[in-house]
Amino acid sequence: MPISTVHQPTHVGHTATPRPRPTSIGMVSTYPPTQCGLATFSAALIEHLHLSTGSLGVVQVLDELEPRPGPDVVAQLVNGSMDSAGAAVRRLNDFDVVVVQHEYGIYGGPDGADVLEIVDALTVPTIVVMHTVLQDPTERQRHILLRLLATADVVVTLTQTARRRLIASYGADPAQLVVIPHGAVDHGPASAVEREPDDRPLVLTWGLIGPGKGIEWAIDAMAGLHDLRPRYLVMGRSHPKVVQRDGETYRDGLAQRALDAGVADVVELDDRYLGVRELAELVRQADVVLLPYDSREQVTSGVLIEAVAAGRPVVSTAFPHAIELLADETGIVVPQRDAAALEVALRRVLSEPGLADGMAEQAARKAPELFWAAVAGRYRAVAAELVAAGLARVS
């Protein structure tokens, strides 16, 4: 049943006078202490919006009530609870603009369809951030995305690839779309990794671990790199939904694969979930960041953005975001599920004179536009323009 009134889109104008007070922004998303990429994304965005925006508030999406929500959480949207949905919408409609973070897997209902009732009930300008844009969606996934396109005032994609896909495959209006990259932490100027003569080169993969991450192919690649004495560190917990479904079967399988391949002395599976500062320090120490993902659909990757912003050389499989971001020799892109190709690329980065330094220099040129301060400024500008356009229409 509908929560309340249906939101009518307001298209952004370019000549309206800005509102004199800072724009207040509400956000709908998973949020810490939930451990997932979207929660981390939203927390970083809110942190940097706090620096110069008006009032902010988060409606936290979760499967059950969080007894100790953070100070930015103004309401909790418990999947399957109409009462919490109604309360969330009422709170969101108190803001000038609402930002809805969209992933199919975080909202209630089949493919997260419950998000549609939330967006339909908003009476204020709405920005929908599409973290996943599938090339071959199911009929229901396509329906959800088309409904979001029809209801949102502005749709943000995190890559040009996703924008082109929305236009070509979903008929989106180009004027409605804005590309704002995934943000990254500014760790200061990137510097070369300082190594002692006996130090082993560090190959780093991080993030929530589960099937589809392609780590098995990376482990196979290590067998041919023994002469370089690498240390392949896989940092991160297993994805909570994977653990709920399968326990630690995937992680245990990776450990057994390393043993069978004779690289148990090379591969380290560390199940910690590092804080921002700890992770930043670890990334800065990496000789190469490895993204061996199986997916050919992934249009955005926070890990990829963080690696480039930190000035680290990258070896990645050919998912869309990597193809887009690494095209100018910022990294090396190889086919999915190809251990031999990963081995060749890693050997080049770790041993070819000047290659890693050249990649780092290319990455450093891109970094400023990827930092969270710049990204938050883009969201702030879009929100203020929406509000100004609405005021101009009614004045």
CSV table of all heavy atoms in Angstrom, one decimal, residues 212-271:
chain,number,residue,atom,x,y,z
A,212,GLY,N,32.9,-14.5,-6.6
A,212,GLY,CA,32.9,-13.4,-7.5
A,212,GLY,C,34.0,-12.4,-7.4
A,212,GLY,O,34.3,-11.7,-8.3
A,213,LYS,N,34.7,-12.5,-6.3
A,213,LYS,CA,35.9,-11.6,-6.1
A,213,LYS,C,37.1,-12.0,-6.9
A,213,LYS,O,38.1,-11.3,-7.1
A,213,LYS,CB,36.3,-11.5,-4.6
A,213,LYS,CG,35.3,-10.7,-3.8
A,213,LYS,CD,35.2,-9.3,-4.2
A,213,LYS,CE,34.3,-8.5,-3.2
A,213,LYS,NZ,34.2,-7.1,-3.6
A,214,GLY,N,37.1,-13.3,-7.4
A,214,GLY,CA,38.1,-13.8,-8.3
A,214,GLY,C,39.5,-14.1,-7.6
A,214,GLY,O,40.5,-14.2,-8.3
A,215,ILE,N,39.5,-14.1,-6.3
A,215,ILE,CA,40.7,-14.3,-5.6
A,215,ILE,C,41.4,-15.6,-5.9
A,215,ILE,O,42.6,-15.8,-5.8
A,215,ILE,CB,40.5,-14.1,-4.1
A,215,ILE,CG1,40.0,-12.7,-3.8
A,215,ILE,CG2,41.7,-14.4,-3.2
A,215,ILE,CD1,39.4,-12.5,-2.4
A,216,GLU,N,40.6,-16.6,-6.2
A,216,GLU,CA,41.1,-17.9,-6.6
A,216,GLU,C,42.1,-17.8,-7.8
A,216,GLU,O,43.1,-18.5,-7.8
A,216,GLU,CB,40.0,-19.0,-6.8
A,216,GLU,CG,39.0,-18.6,-7.8
A,216,GLU,CD,37.8,-17.9,-7.2
A,216,GLU,OE1,38.0,-16.9,-6.4
A,216,GLU,OE2,36.6,-18.3,-7.5
A,217,TRP,N,41.8,-17.0,-8.7
A,217,TRP,CA,42.6,-16.8,-9.9
A,217,TRP,C,43.9,-16.1,-9.5
A,217,TRP,O,45.0,-16.4,-10.1
A,217,TRP,CB,41.9,-16.1,-11.0
A,217,TRP,CG,40.5,-16.6,-11.2
A,217,TRP,CD1,39.3,-16.0,-10.9
A,217,TRP,CD2,40.1,-17.9,-11.7
A,217,TRP,NE1,38.2,-16.8,-11.2
A,217,TRP,CE2,38.7,-18.0,-11.7
A,217,TRP,CE3,40.9,-19.0,-12.1
A,217,TRP,CZ2,38.0,-19.1,-12.1
A,217,TRP,CZ3,40.2,-20.2,-12.5
A,217,TRP,CH2,38.8,-20.2,-12.5
A,218,ALA,N,43.8,-15.1,-8.6
A,218,ALA,CA,45.0,-14.4,-8.1
A,218,ALA,C,45.9,-15.4,-7.4
A,218,ALA,O,47.1,-15.3,-7.5
A,218,ALA,CB,44.6,-13.3,-7.2
A,219,ILE,N,45.3,-16.3,-6.6
A,219,ILE,CA,46.2,-17.3,-5.9
A,219,ILE,C,46.9,-18.2,-6.9
A,219,ILE,O,48.1,-18.4,-6.8
A,219,ILE,CB,45.3,-18.1,-5.0
A,219,ILE,CG1,44.8,-17.3,-3.8
A,219,ILE,CG2,46.0,-19.4,-4.5
A,219,ILE,CD1,43.8,-17.9,-2.9
A,220,ASP,N,46.2,-18.6,-7.9
A,220,ASP,CA,46.8,-19.4,-9.0
A,220,ASP,C,48.0,-18.6,-9.6
A,220,ASP,O,49.0,-19.2,-10.0
A,220,ASP,CB,45.8,-19.8,-10.0
A,220,ASP,CG,44.8,-20.8,-9.5
A,220,ASP,OD1,45.0,-21.3,-8.4
A,220,ASP,OD2,43.8,-21.0,-10.2
A,221,ALA,N,47.8,-17.3,-9.8
A,221,ALA,CA,48.8,-16.5,-10.5
A,221,ALA,C,50.1,-16.5,-9.7
A,221,ALA,O,51.2,-16.3,-10.2
A,221,ALA,CB,48.3,-15.1,-10.7
A,222,MET,N,50.0,-16.6,-8.3
A,222,MET,CA,51.2,-16.4,-7.5
A,222,MET,C,52.2,-17.6,-7.7
A,222,MET,O,53.4,-17.4,-7.4
A,222,MET,CB,50.8,-16.4,-6.0
A,222,MET,CG,49.9,-15.2,-5.6
A,222,MET,SD,50.8,-13.6,-5.9
A,222,MET,CE,49.4,-12.6,-6.3
A,223,ALA,N,51.7,-18.7,-8.2
A,223,ALA,CA,52.6,-19.9,-8.3
A,223,ALA,C,53.7,-19.6,-9.3
A,223,ALA,O,54.8,-20.1,-9.2
A,223,ALA,CB,51.8,-21.1,-8.8
A,224,GLY,N,53.5,-18.7,-10.3
A,224,GLY,CA,54.5,-18.4,-11.2
A,224,GLY,C,55.4,-17.2,-10.9
A,224,GLY,O,56.2,-16.8,-11.7
A,225,LEU,N,55.2,-16.7,-9.7
A,225,LEU,CA,55.9,-15.5,-9.3
A,225,LEU,C,56.8,-15.7,-8.1
A,225,LEU,O,57.3,-14.8,-7.5
A,225,LEU,CB,54.9,-14.3,-8.9
A,225,LEU,CG,54.0,-13.9,-10.0
A,225,LEU,CD1,52.9,-12.9,-9.5
A,225,LEU,CD2,54.8,-13.2,-11.1
A,226,HIS,N,57.1,-17.0,-7.8
A,226,HIS,CA,57.9,-17.3,-6.6
A,226,HIS,C,59.3,-16.6,-6.7
A,226,HIS,O,59.8,-16.2,-5.6
A,226,HIS,CB,58.1,-18.8,-6.5
A,226,HIS,CG,57.2,-19.4,-5.5
A,226,HIS,ND1,57.2,-19.1,-4.2
A,226,HIS,CD2,56.2,-20.4,-5.6
A,226,HIS,CE1,56.3,-19.8,-3.5
A,226,HIS,NE2,55.7,-20.6,-4.4
A,227,ASP,N,59.9,-16.4,-7.9
A,227,ASP,CA,61.2,-15.8,-7.9
A,227,ASP,C,61.2,-14.4,-7.5
A,227,ASP,O,62.2,-13.8,-7.0
A,227,ASP,CB,61.7,-15.9,-9.4
A,227,ASP,CG,60.8,-15.2,-10.4
A,227,ASP,OD1,59.6,-15.5,-10.4
A,227,ASP,OD2,61.3,-14.3,-11.1
A,228,LEU,N,60.0,-13.7,-7.5
A,228,LEU,CA,59.9,-12.3,-7.0
A,228,LEU,C,59.6,-12.2,-5.6
A,228,LEU,O,59.6,-11.1,-5.0
A,228,LEU,CB,58.8,-11.6,-7.8
A,228,LEU,CG,59.0,-11.5,-9.3
A,228,LEU,CD1,57.9,-10.7,-10.0
A,228,LEU,CD2,60.4,-10.8,-9.7
A,229,ARG,N,59.3,-13.3,-4.9
A,229,ARG,CA,59.0,-13.4,-3.5
A,229,ARG,C,57.9,-12.5,-3.1
A,229,ARG,O,58.1,-11.7,-2.1
A,229,ARG,CB,60.3,-13.1,-2.7
A,229,ARG,CG,61.5,-14.1,-3.0
A,229,ARG,CD,62.7,-13.7,-2.2
A,229,ARG,NE,62.5,-13.6,-0.7
A,229,ARG,CZ,62.5,-12.5,0.0
A,229,ARG,NH1,62.7,-11.3,-0.6
A,229,ARG,NH2,62.3,-12.5,1.3
A,230,PRO,N,56.8,-12.5,-3.8
A,230,PRO,CA,55.7,-11.6,-3.4
A,230,PRO,C,55.0,-12.0,-2.1
A,230,PRO,O,55.1,-13.1,-1.6
A,230,PRO,CB,54.8,-11.6,-4.5
A,230,PRO,CG,54.9,-13.0,-5.0
A,230,PRO,CD,56.4,-13.4,-4.9
A,231,ARG,N,54.3,-11.0,-1.5
A,231,ARG,CA,53.4,-11.3,-0.4
A,231,ARG,C,52.1,-10.8,-0.8
A,231,ARG,O,51.8,-9.7,-1.1
A,231,ARG,CB,53.9,-10.5,0.9
A,231,ARG,CG,52.9,-10.5,2.0
A,231,ARG,CD,53.3,-9.5,3.1
A,231,ARG,NE,52.3,-9.4,4.2
A,231,ARG,CZ,52.1,-8.4,4.9
A,231,ARG,NH1,52.8,-7.2,4.7
A,231,ARG,NH2,51.2,-8.4,5.9
A,232,TYR,N,51.2,-11.8,-1.0
A,232,TYR,CA,49.8,-11.5,-1.5
A,232,TYR,C,48.9,-11.4,-0.3
A,232,TYR,O,48.5,-12.5,0.3
A,232,TYR,CB,49.3,-12.5,-2.5
A,232,TYR,CG,47.9,-12.2,-3.0
A,232,TYR,CD1,47.5,-10.9,-3.3
A,232,TYR,CD2,47.0,-13.2,-3.2
A,232,TYR,CE1,46.2,-10.6,-3.7
A,232,TYR,CE2,45.7,-13.0,-3.7
A,232,TYR,CZ,45.3,-11.6,-3.9
A,232,TYR,OH,44.1,-11.4,-4.4
A,233,LEU,N,48.5,-10.2,0.1
A,233,LEU,CA,47.6,-10.0,1.2
A,233,LEU,C,46.2,-9.7,0.8
A,233,LEU,O,45.9,-8.8,0.1
A,233,LEU,CB,48.1,-8.8,2.1
A,233,LEU,CG,47.3,-8.4,3.3
A,233,LEU,CD1,47.1,-9.5,4.3
A,233,LEU,CD2,47.9,-7.2,3.9
A,234,VAL,N,45.3,-10.6,1.2
A,234,VAL,CA,43.8,-10.4,1.0
A,234,VAL,C,43.2,-9.9,2.3
A,234,VAL,O,43.1,-10.7,3.3
A,234,VAL,CB,43.2,-11.7,0.5
A,234,VAL,CG1,41.7,-11.5,0.3
A,234,VAL,CG2,43.8,-12.2,-0.7
A,235,MET,N,42.9,-8.6,2.4
A,235,MET,CA,42.5,-8.0,3.6
A,235,MET,C,41.0,-7.8,3.6
A,235,MET,O,40.4,-7.1,2.7
A,235,MET,CB,43.2,-6.7,3.8
A,235,MET,CG,42.7,-5.9,5.0
A,235,MET,SD,42.9,-6.7,6.6
A,235,MET,CE,44.7,-6.7,6.7
A,236,GLY,N,40.3,-8.4,4.6
A,236,GLY,CA,38.8,-8.1,4.7
A,236,GLY,C,38.0,-9.3,5.2
A,236,GLY,O,38.4,-10.5,5.0
A,237,ARG,N,36.9,-9.0,5.8
A,237,ARG,CA,36.1,-10.1,6.3
A,237,ARG,C,35.2,-10.7,5.2
A,237,ARG,O,35.1,-10.0,4.1
A,237,ARG,CB,35.1,-9.5,7.4
A,237,ARG,CG,35.8,-9.1,8.7
A,237,ARG,CD,34.7,-8.6,9.6
A,237,ARG,NE,35.4,-8.2,10.9
A,237,ARG,CZ,34.8,-7.6,11.9
A,237,ARG,NH1,33.5,-7.3,11.8
A,237,ARG,NH2,35.4,-7.3,13.0
A,238,SER,N,34.7,-11.8,5.4
A,238,SER,CA,33.8,-12.4,4.4
A,238,SER,C,32.5,-11.6,4.5
A,238,SER,O,32.1,-11.1,5.5
A,238,SER,CB,33.5,-13.9,4.8
A,238,SER,OG,34.6,-14.6,4.7
A,239,HIS,N,31.8,-11.4,3.3
A,239,HIS,CA,30.6,-10.6,3.3
A,239,HIS,C,29.6,-11.3,4.2
A,239,HIS,O,29.4,-12.5,4.2
A,239,HIS,CB,30.1,-10.6,1.9
A,239,HIS,CG,29.0,-9.6,1.6
A,239,HIS,ND1,27.8,-9.6,2.2
A,239,HIS,CD2,29.1,-8.4,0.9
A,239,HIS,CE1,27.1,-8.6,1.9
A,239,HIS,NE2,27.8,-7.8,1.1
A,240,PRO,N,28.9,-10.4,5.1
A,240,PRO,CA,28.0,-11.0,6.1
A,240,PRO,C,26.9,-11.9,5.4
A,240,PRO,O,26.5,-12.9,6.0
A,240,PRO,CB,27.4,-9.8,6.7
A,240,PRO,CG,28.4,-8.7,6.5
A,240,PRO,CD,29.1,-9.0,5.2
A,241,LYS,N,26.4,-11.5,4.2
A,241,LYS,CA,25.4,-12.3,3.6
A,241,LYS,C,25.9,-13.7,3.1
A,241,LYS,O,25.2,-14.7,3.1
A,241,LYS,CB,24.7,-11.6,2.5
A,241,LYS,CG,23.9,-10.4,3.0
A,241,LYS,CD,23.1,-9.7,1.9
A,241,LYS,CE,22.2,-8.6,2.5
A,241,LYS,NZ,21.4,-7.9,1.5
A,242,VAL,N,27.2,-13.7,2.7
A,242,VAL,CA,27.9,-14.9,2.3
A,242,VAL,C,28.0,-15.8,3.5
A,242,VAL,O,27.7,-17.0,3.5
A,242,VAL,CB,29.2,-14.6,1.7
A,242,VAL,CG1,30.0,-15.9,1.4
A,242,VAL,CG2,29.1,-13.9,0.4
A,243,VAL,N,28.4,-15.3,4.7
A,243,VAL,CA,28.6,-16.1,5.9
A,243,VAL,C,27.2,-16.6,6.3
A,243,VAL,O,27.1,-17.8,6.7
A,243,VAL,CB,29.2,-15.2,7.0
A,243,VAL,CG1,29.2,-16.0,8.3
A,243,VAL,CG2,30.6,-14.8,6.6
A,244,GLN,N,26.2,-15.8,6.2
A,244,GLN,CA,24.9,-16.3,6.6
A,244,GLN,C,24.4,-17.4,5.8
A,244,GLN,O,23.8,-18.4,6.3
A,244,GLN,CB,23.9,-15.1,6.5
A,244,GLN,CG,22.5,-15.4,7.0
A,244,GLN,CD,21.6,-14.2,6.9
A,244,GLN,OE1,21.8,-13.3,6.1
A,244,GLN,NE2,20.5,-14.2,7.7
A,245,ARG,N,24.8,-17.4,4.5
A,245,ARG,CA,24.3,-18.5,3.6
A,245,ARG,C,25.2,-19.7,3.6
A,245,ARG,O,24.8,-20.8,3.6
A,245,ARG,CB,24.2,-17.9,2.2
A,245,ARG,CG,23.7,-18.8,1.1
A,245,ARG,CD,23.7,-18.2,-0.2
A,245,ARG,NE,25.1,-18.1,-0.7
A,245,ARG,CZ,25.6,-16.9,-1.1
A,245,ARG,NH1,24.9,-15.8,-1.1
A,245,ARG,NH2,26.9,-16.9,-1.5
A,246,ASP,N,26.6,-19.4,3.6
A,246,ASP,CA,27.5,-20.5,3.4
A,246,ASP,C,28.6,-20.7,4.5
A,246,ASP,O,29.5,-21.5,4.3
A,246,ASP,CB,28.2,-20.3,2.0
A,246,ASP,CG,27.3,-20.2,0.8
A,246,ASP,OD1,26.3,-21.0,0.9
A,246,ASP,OD2,27.5,-19.4,-0.1
A,247,GLY,N,28.5,-19.9,5.5
A,247,GLY,CA,29.6,-19.9,6.5
A,247,GLY,C,30.9,-19.4,5.9
A,247,GLY,O,30.8,-18.5,5.0
A,248,GLU,N,32.0,-20.0,6.3
A,248,GLU,CA,33.3,-19.5,5.7
A,248,GLU,C,33.8,-20.5,4.7
A,248,GLU,O,35.0,-20.6,4.5
A,248,GLU,CB,34.3,-19.4,6.9
A,248,GLU,CG,34.0,-18.3,7.9
A,248,GLU,CD,34.3,-16.9,7.2
A,248,GLU,OE1,34.6,-16.8,6.1
A,248,GLU,OE2,34.1,-15.9,8.0
A,249,THR,N,32.9,-21.1,3.9
A,249,THR,CA,33.3,-22.1,2.9
A,249,THR,C,34.2,-21.4,1.9
A,249,THR,O,35.2,-22.0,1.5
A,249,THR,CB,32.0,-22.6,2.2
A,249,THR,OG1,31.2,-23.3,3.2
A,249,THR,CG2,32.4,-23.7,1.1
A,250,TYR,N,33.9,-20.2,1.4
A,250,TYR,CA,34.7,-19.6,0.4
A,250,TYR,C,36.1,-19.3,0.9
A,250,TYR,O,37.1,-19.6,0.2
A,250,TYR,CB,34.0,-18.3,-0.1
A,250,TYR,CG,34.8,-17.6,-1.2
A,250,TYR,CD1,34.9,-18.1,-2.5
A,250,TYR,CD2,35.5,-16.4,-1.0
A,250,TYR,CE1,35.6,-17.5,-3.5
A,250,TYR,CE2,36.2,-15.8,-2.0
A,250,TYR,CZ,36.2,-16.3,-3.2
A,250,TYR,OH,36.9,-15.7,-4.2
A,251,ARG,N,36.2,-18.7,2.0
A,251,ARG,CA,37.5,-18.4,2.6
A,251,ARG,C,38.3,-19.6,2.9
A,251,ARG,O,39.5,-19.7,2.5
A,251,ARG,CB,37.3,-17.6,3.9
A,251,ARG,CG,38.7,-17.2,4.6
A,251,ARG,CD,38.4,-16.4,5.9
A,251,ARG,NE,37.7,-15.1,5.6
A,251,ARG,CZ,38.4,-14.0,5.3
A,251,ARG,NH1,39.7,-14.0,5.2
A,251,ARG,NH2,37.7,-12.9,5.1
A,252,ASP,N,37.7,-20.6,3.4
A,252,ASP,CA,38.4,-21.9,3.6
A,252,ASP,C,38.9,-22.5,2.3
A,252,ASP,O,40.0,-23.1,2.3
A,252,ASP,CB,37.5,-22.9,4.4
A,252,ASP,CG,37.1,-22.4,5.8
A,252,ASP,OD1,37.8,-21.6,6.3
A,252,ASP,OD2,36.2,-23.0,6.4
A,253,GLY,N,38.1,-22.4,1.3
A,253,GLY,CA,38.5,-22.9,0.0
A,253,GLY,C,39.7,-22.2,-0.6
A,253,GLY,O,40.5,-22.8,-1.2
A,254,LEU,N,39.8,-20.9,-0.3
A,254,LEU,CA,40.9,-20.1,-0.8
A,254,LEU,C,42.2,-20.6,-0.1
A,254,LEU,O,43.3,-20.7,-0.7
A,254,LEU,CB,40.7,-18.6,-0.5
A,254,LEU,CG,39.6,-17.9,-1.3
A,254,LEU,CD1,39.4,-16.5,-0.9
A,254,LEU,CD2,39.8,-18.0,-2.8
A,255,ALA,N,42.1,-20.8,1.2
A,255,ALA,CA,43.3,-21.3,2.0
A,255,ALA,C,43.7,-22.6,1.5
A,255,ALA,O,44.9,-22.9,1.3
A,255,ALA,CB,42.9,-21.3,3.5
A,256,GLN,N,42.8,-23.5,1.2
A,256,GLN,CA,43.1,-24.8,0.7
A,256,GLN,C,43.7,-24.7,-0.7
A,256,GLN,O,44.7,-25.4,-1.1
A,256,GLN,CB,41.9,-25.7,0.6
A,256,GLN,CG,42.2,-27.2,0.2
A,256,GLN,CD,43.1,-27.8,1.2
A,256,GLN,OE1,42.9,-27.8,2.4
A,256,GLN,NE2,44.2,-28.5,0.7
A,257,ARG,N,43.2,-23.8,-1.5
A,257,ARG,CA,43.7,-23.6,-2.9
A,257,ARG,C,45.2,-23.1,-2.8
A,257,ARG,O,46.0,-23.6,-3.6
A,257,ARG,CB,42.9,-22.6,-3.6
A,257,ARG,CG,43.1,-22.5,-5.1
A,257,ARG,CD,42.2,-21.5,-5.8
A,257,ARG,NE,42.2,-21.6,-7.3
A,257,ARG,CZ,41.2,-22.1,-8.0
A,257,ARG,NH1,40.1,-22.6,-7.4
A,257,ARG,NH2,41.3,-22.1,-9.3
A,258,ALA,N,45.5,-22.2,-1.9
A,258,ALA,CA,46.9,-21.7,-1.8
A,258,ALA,C,47.8,-22.9,-1.3
A,258,ALA,O,48.9,-23.0,-1.8
A,258,ALA,CB,46.9,-20.6,-0.7
A,259,LEU,N,47.3,-23.7,-0.5
A,259,LEU,CA,48.1,-24.9,0.0
A,259,LEU,C,48.3,-25.8,-1.2
A,259,LEU,O,49.5,-26.3,-1.4
A,259,LEU,CB,47.3,-25.6,1.1
A,259,LEU,CG,48.1,-26.7,1.9
A,259,LEU,CD1,49.3,-26.1,2.6
A,259,LEU,CD2,47.2,-27.4,2.9
A,260,ASP,N,47.3,-26.1,-1.9
A,260,ASP,CA,47.4,-27.1,-3.1
A,260,ASP,C,48.3,-26.5,-4.1
A,260,ASP,O,49.0,-27.3,-4.8
A,260,ASP,CB,46.0,-27.3,-3.7
A,260,ASP,CG,45.1,-28.1,-2.7
A,260,ASP,OD1,45.6,-28.7,-1.7
A,260,ASP,OD2,43.9,-28.1,-3.0
A,261,ALA,N,48.3,-25.2,-4.3
A,261,ALA,CA,49.2,-24.6,-5.3
A,261,ALA,C,50.6,-24.3,-4.9
A,261,ALA,O,51.4,-23.8,-5.7
A,261,ALA,CB,48.6,-23.2,-5.8
A,262,GLY,N,50.9,-24.6,-3.6
A,262,GLY,CA,52.3,-24.5,-3.1
A,262,GLY,C,52.6,-23.0,-2.8
A,262,GLY,O,53.8,-22.6,-2.8
A,263,VAL,N,51.6,-22.2,-2.6
A,263,VAL,CA,51.8,-20.8,-2.3
A,263,VAL,C,51.3,-20.3,-1.0
A,263,VAL,O,51.0,-19.2,-0.7
A,263,VAL,CB,51.3,-19.9,-3.4
A,263,VAL,CG1,52.0,-20.1,-4.7
A,263,VAL,CG2,49.8,-20.1,-3.6
A,264,ALA,N,51.1,-21.3,0.0
A,264,ALA,CA,50.6,-20.9,1.3
A,264,ALA,C,51.6,-20.0,2.0
A,264,ALA,O,51.1,-19.2,2.9
A,264,ALA,CB,50.5,-22.2,2.1
A,265,ASP,N,52.9,-20.0,1.6
A,265,ASP,CA,53.8,-19.0,2.2
A,265,ASP,C,53.7,-17.6,1.6
A,265,ASP,O,54.3,-16.7,2.1
A,265,ASP,CB,55.2,-19.6,2.0
A,265,ASP,CG,55.6,-19.7,0.6
A,265,ASP,OD1,54.7,-20.1,-0.2
A,265,ASP,OD2,56.8,-19.6,0.2
A,266,VAL,N,53.0,-17.5,0.5
A,266,VAL,CA,52.8,-16.2,-0.2
A,266,VAL,C,51.5,-15.6,0.1
A,266,VAL,O,51.4,-14.3,0.2
A,266,VAL,CB,52.9,-16.5,-1.8
A,266,VAL,CG1,52.6,-15.2,-2.5
A,266,VAL,CG2,54.3,-17.0,-2.1
A,267,VAL,N,50.4,-16.4,0.3
A,267,VAL,CA,49.1,-15.8,0.4
A,267,VAL,C,48.7,-15.7,1.9
A,267,VAL,O,48.9,-16.6,2.7
A,267,VAL,CB,48.1,-16.8,-0.3
A,267,VAL,CG1,46.6,-16.3,-0.1
A,267,VAL,CG2,48.4,-16.9,-1.8
A,268,GLU,N,48.2,-14.5,2.2
A,268,GLU,CA,47.7,-14.2,3.6
A,268,GLU,C,46.3,-13.8,3.5
A,268,GLU,O,46.0,-12.8,2.8
A,268,GLU,CB,48.6,-13.1,4.3
A,268,GLU,CG,50.0,-13.5,4.4
A,268,GLU,CD,50.8,-12.3,5.0
A,268,GLU,OE1,50.2,-11.6,5.9
A,268,GLU,OE2,52.0,-12.1,4.6
A,269,LEU,N,45.4,-14.5,4.2
A,269,LEU,CA,44.0,-14.1,4.3
A,269,LEU,C,43.7,-13.5,5.7
A,269,LEU,O,43.6,-14.3,6.7
A,269,LEU,CB,43.1,-15.4,4.1
A,269,LEU,CG,43.4,-16.1,2.8
A,269,LEU,CD1,42.6,-17.4,2.7
A,269,LEU,CD2,43.0,-15.3,1.6
A,270,ASP,N,43.6,-12.2,5.7
A,270,ASP,CA,43.4,-11.5,7.0
A,270,ASP,C,42.0,-11.1,7.1
A,270,ASP,O,41.5,-10.3,6.2
A,270,ASP,CB,44.4,-10.3,7.0
A,270,ASP,CG,44.5,-9.6,8.4
A,270,ASP,OD1,43.4,-9.6,9.1
A,270,ASP,OD2,45.5,-9.2,8.8
A,271,ASP,N,41.3,-11.6,8.1
A,271,ASP,CA,39.8,-11.3,8.2
A,271,ASP,C,39.4,-10.1,9.0
A,271,ASP,O,38.3,-9.9,9.4
A,271,ASP,CB,39.1,-12.6,8.7
A,271,ASP,CG,39.4,-12.8,10.2
A,271,ASP,OD1,40.3,-12.1,10.8
A,271,ASP,OD2,38.8,-13.8,10.7
